[in-house]
Amino acid sequence: MTRIHSRPLLAALLAISLLPALAAAQEAAPPMPEDPRAPRFKEVERGFFTGFEVGYLSLFKTPTADPVKFPFAGAGGGTASGMLVGATLGYDVSSRVAVSLFALGGNARASVSYGAFSVLAAGLDLRVALLGASDKYGVERLHVYLHGRGGGLLTTPEGLLGHTDVYLAGGPGVEYFTHLRHFAVGLAADVAYLTKAKAAGLAITPTVRYTF
């Protein structure tokens, strides 16, 4: 009877003694292979970015700042239109908010008697995306936003439209974050205003940006 009952006891003791070895074997087991379908990078990059814009600039009126210096310009040259080129350097505060520094340069021509002039502006831009749309994989790639910008402006020749001014602009835009991750393309339509010249205008610019 003693021998019969000792066998289960020995088996139990043997199992208990093997538990640490089994646990160590489980800890030493190789990790599961990584799922090849799992994304290894961000679908849309956010952070520091640089941008480029080029498009159309129009001022609805062009008053003459110094009629003595430009007697043939009269009281003004009427509507002026031309080309606008700009660059930005900024940071995505969040997926929907971005702040950046901007610089713009352009040339516009009014009436024949008034002639052409150049503008150069620089300042701060704030953009807020109000709407977003995702692709079939659930990645938000399309943004509809509002932005505003303001800064100093220089015009040449001095005395025609003026010389120094304050540039204010803002309006809606759309931006699409491409499958190239770092690149986004868009289109902005801004209402612009020169505070000293009291001249309103319109700027329509396609945009491209690269996020680092």
Side-chain angles (χ1 to χ4, degrees):
M1 294 292 292
T2 302
R3 294 172 63 184
I4 293 174
H5 289 289
S6 63
R7 289 179 181 178
L9 180 60
L10 290 173
L13 292 173
L14 181 60
I16 292 173
S17 65
L18 290 176
L19 284 176
L22 291 173
Q26 289 180 351
E27 292 176 358
M32 294 293 291
E34 187 178 355
D35 186 354
R37 298 170 297 177
R40 293 177 174 82
F41 49 80
K42 297 178 182 179
E43 292 287 347
V44 174
E45 294 289 342
R46 304 286 186 186
F48 289 100
F49 64 85
T50 183
F52 179 75
E53 54 192 66
V54 56
Y56 170 79
L57 170 67
S58 177
L59 292 176
F60 302 142
K61 70 173 184 177
T62 51
T64 305
D66 189 348
V68 176
K69 187 175 182 180
F70 296 92
F72 297 106
T79 301
S81 60
M83 187 175 182
L84 185 68
V85 177
T88 58
L89 180 64
Y91 180 75
D92 290 308
V93 180
S94 70
S95 62
R96 293 291 184 95
V97 179
V99 61
S100 62
L101 299 173
F102 76 90
L104 297 174
N107 292 287
R109 178 176 293 275
S111 65
V112 175
S113 60
Y114 192 89
F117 56 91
S118 298
V119 295
L120 179 64
L124 186 67
D125 183 288
L126 178 64
R127 183 180 64 191
V128 179
L130 303 178
L131 299 173
S134 302
D135 61 13
K136 62 181 180 181
Y137 301 107
V139 179
E140 192 173 272
R141 295 191 180 277
L142 184 66
H143 279 174
V144 177
Y145 65 84
L146 284 176
H147 85 121
R149 55 178 47 172
L153 180 138
L154 293 175
T155 66
T156 55
E158 184 177 350
L160 185 58
L161 184 61
H163 183 50
T164 61
D165 213 318
V166 177
Y167 178 78
L168 301 175
V174 60
E175 189 170 45
Y176 178 76
F177 296 88
T178 72
H179 290 269
L180 297 178
R181 294 173 51 205
H182 297 275
F183 288 93
V185 296
L187 180 68
D190 293 345
V191 174
Y193 187 72
L194 309 185
T195 60
K196 289 184 179 180
K198 295 181 173 58
L202 179 67
I204 300 176
T205 53
T207 62
V208 177
R209 84 163 183 166
Y210 177 87
T211 304
F212 298 97

